[in-house]
Amino acid sequence: MRISTAQMFNQGITSVLDNQSATSKILEQLSSGKKVNTAGDDPVAAVGIDNLNQQNALVDQFVKNIEYATNHLAMSESKLGTAEKLVGSTRELVIRAVNGGLADSERQMIADELRGTLDELLNVANTKDESGNYMFSGNETGKQPFAFDATGNIVYSGDNGVRQSVVASGVTIGTNIPGDSAFMNAPSGMGDYSANYLATQTGEFKVESAKITNPAVHVEQTYTFTMVGADLEIRDATNALVQTEVNFDSSNPIVYNGLEVKLDGMPAAGDSFSLSPQSNVSIFDTINEAITLLESPNKINTPQGMAELAQVLNNIDSGVNQISIERGVSGNSLKSLESHNMTHVEEKVVNSSALSMLEDLDYASAITEYEKQQLALNAVSNVFSKVGSVSLFDYI
């Protein structure tokens, strides 16, 4: 079989180029530390590597979201803890002020201390995060949530929005506590109504609870209770008689229009009080009521004052409990975030291990292969050089 000079040269060049390409590929692997640098190196492995890289990128984003949520919730939990202590201290101050041996000036000092506590609580509720956004404004992060209005009451200007952060596939966790749920919407200490007592009260009694037991028949409005002799009359907002409790016994609950009212103590003849709908109370309003009560020296130790004091203390307890509940929400969310973060760390380890198996280079094997390719390339180059220099004229 005869081989033309052109064919011989083409075969020689092809062999040299193939060996150079193989050597270059191994050098590239040694340089990058990866055995799969392009999809052409190993198409199946390249698809697996791409999928694992995408999963790791998604996990990294989840971890960043968790860090963001953790920072905000940890700060919220801390601030709510401070608020819980502040509100708890107001109860101690109010009880101390009831001491009959205190002078009016001493009660005024306690009232001033309560006002300072109220200002501190307001500052906590208006806390900003590291970005300058208000923490307890819901979605209205650029708007100060709490401020005094023209009448001296503290109003809420945020909303009840909860900002969600995606922390895992299909899993979101709230990163904030709305200010209204923490500070404005504590359940009324009495249930669904609040009591209004009169200065003419002589009987030592207070409303223990007023709860709606049958919403289907209940008509929400202000009701007035008056002791007429031994009977208790109940009238609605139009002064129409709703019900009469004949020979009233305060040990038995009063049930009418789907509402159940319990009294602690017995009203005297002529005593009157009213109930107004109020299922939620603001802790700011409650502290303001305590301050007003303490700044009324002729009222604090009267039957009316003692009844109002009981209501204030119940609402303070409810306010502390509500802040504690929202603080617990933050704590539970932080615990959940920690669990998801641990899951992501474990997933990242598994993915990275699989990724290493698919793409990491075995340097010992690669260097051995490189030496083999170098030897083959040198041999092919030498053969091609010698064959290429052969000429018939050398033998003539």
Side-chain angles (χ1 to χ4, degrees):
M1 177 179 176
R2 290 182 296 176
I3 300 176
S4 67
T5 302
Q7 187 177 3
M8 180 183 65
F9 269 90
N10 285 338
Q11 288 180 344
I13 291 172
T14 299
S15 181
V16 170
L17 291 176
D18 287 346
N19 279 276
Q20 285 180 337
S21 177
T23 303
S24 176
K25 179 180 177 181
I26 295 174
L27 282 173
E28 185 179 355
Q29 291 176 340
L30 289 168
S31 175
S32 65
K34 308 293 181 184
K35 62 184 177 184
V36 181
N37 290 298
T38 65
D41 295 337
D42 188 338
V44 175
V47 172
I49 290 168
D50 186 53
N51 289 337
L52 288 169
N53 282 330
Q54 289 183 27
Q55 290 179 25
N56 278 344
L58 187 60
V59 168
D60 288 340
Q61 185 59 55
F62 288 150
V63 170
K64 287 181 181 178
N65 291 349
I66 287 173
E67 290 176 354
Y68 171 85
T70 298
N71 290 338
H72 280 70
L73 284 171
M75 188 178 294
S76 295
E77 195 275 337
S78 174
K79 292 300 179 181
L80 289 174
T82 301
E84 191 177 352
K85 291 178 182 177
L86 286 171
V87 177
S89 70
T90 63
R91 192 182 203 286
E92 299 172 5
L93 289 172
V94 172
I95 291 176
R96 193 173 75 193
V98 181
N99 188 338
L102 292 180
D104 291 344
S105 60
E106 292 174 311
R107 285 201 180 92
Q108 183 60 54
M109 290 175 62
I110 294 175
D112 292 339
E113 191 173 347
L114 277 175
R115 192 170 279 108
T117 300
L118 180 62
D119 290 337
E120 284 185 65
L121 184 61
L122 183 62
N123 287 333
V124 170
N126 285 328
T127 299
K128 293 182 178 180
D129 62 19
E130 71 281 359
S131 301
N133 296 318
Y134 288 100
M135 292 178 55
F136 298 107
S137 286
N139 290 323
E140 302 287 339
T141 56
K143 184 183 295 183
Q144 180 174 313
F146 298 97
F148 287 99
D149 64 8
T151 62
N153 294 318
I154 294 177
V155 295
Y156 181 63
S157 300
D159 60 25
N160 61 355
V162 177
R163 302 185 297 279
Q164 300 290 330
S165 183
V166 182
V167 298
S169 296
V171 179
T172 60
I173 289 181
T175 62
N176 67 298
I177 301 295
D180 57 346
S181 17
F183 303 102
M184 304 296 286
N185 294 334
S188 171
M190 285 174 44
D192 299 301
Y193 278 72
S194 64
N196 302 294
Y197 302 95
L198 299 180
T200 55
Q201 176 180 333
T202 58
E204 295 185 356
F205 74 92
K206 63 179 182 290
V207 179
E208 186 177 300
S209 65
K211 299 178 181 179
I212 299 172
T213 56
N214 190 351
V217 300
H218 177 66
V219 179
E220 189 177 82
Q221 57 179 300
T222 298
Y223 294 95
T224 302
F225 298 70
T226 305
M227 282 297 294
V228 180
D231 302 334
L232 180 67
E233 292 183 351
I234 305 170
R235 297 181 180 273
D236 63 16
T238 65
N239 203 37
L241 184 64
V242 175
Q243 185 169 305
T244 299
E245 297 287 322
V246 179
N247 293 321
F248 174 64
D249 181 359
S250 62
S251 63
N252 298 320
I254 308 163
V255 180
Y256 69 97
N257 286 0
L259 187 68
E260 181 182 271
V261 179
K262 294 180 181 179
L263 298 187
D264 181 6
M266 186 68 182
D271 282 347
S272 183
F273 66 94
S274 63
L275 294 179
S276 301
Q278 187 177 28
S279 57
N280 295 317
V281 293
S282 158
I283 189 59
F284 299 111
D285 290 344
T286 300
I287 296 175
N288 266 328
E289 290 170 7
I291 292 171
T292 301
L293 184 60
L294 295 185
E295 290 181 335
S296 304
N298 297 325
K299 180 181 182 181
I300 187 66
N301 289 319
T302 65
Q304 178 199 16
M306 296 304 292
E308 289 183 358
L309 175 66
Q311 184 168 262
V312 165
L313 291 175
N314 284 339
N315 287 339
I316 287 176
D317 290 341
S318 181
V320 171
N321 187 57
Q322 182 65 21
I323 294 172
S324 178
I325 289 172
E326 296 303 319
R327 185 184 180 190
V329 171
S330 297
N332 288 334
S333 296
L334 285 169
K335 186 176 180 180
S336 181
L337 287 171
E338 183 180 359
S339 176
H340 283 295
N341 189 61
M342 290 177 62
T343 300
H344 291 322
V345 169
E346 292 172 0
E347 183 180 357
K348 190 74 179 288
V349 170
V350 172
N351 288 347
S352 298
S353 177
L355 197 60
S356 176
M357 292 177 63
L358 287 174
E359 69 174 358
D360 284 357
L361 183 67
D362 183 346
Y363 276 95
S365 298
I367 291 172
T368 301
E369 186 63 25
Y370 174 73
E371 294 294 338
K372 287 167 59 179
Q373 289 294 337
Q374 268 301 91
L375 184 61
L377 178 60
N378 290 336
V380 170
S381 298
N382 288 333
V383 170
F384 178 70
S385 177
K386 290 183 180 297
V387 172
S389 65
V390 173
S391 173
L392 183 58
F393 294 104
D394 294 334
Y395 299 93
I396 297 177

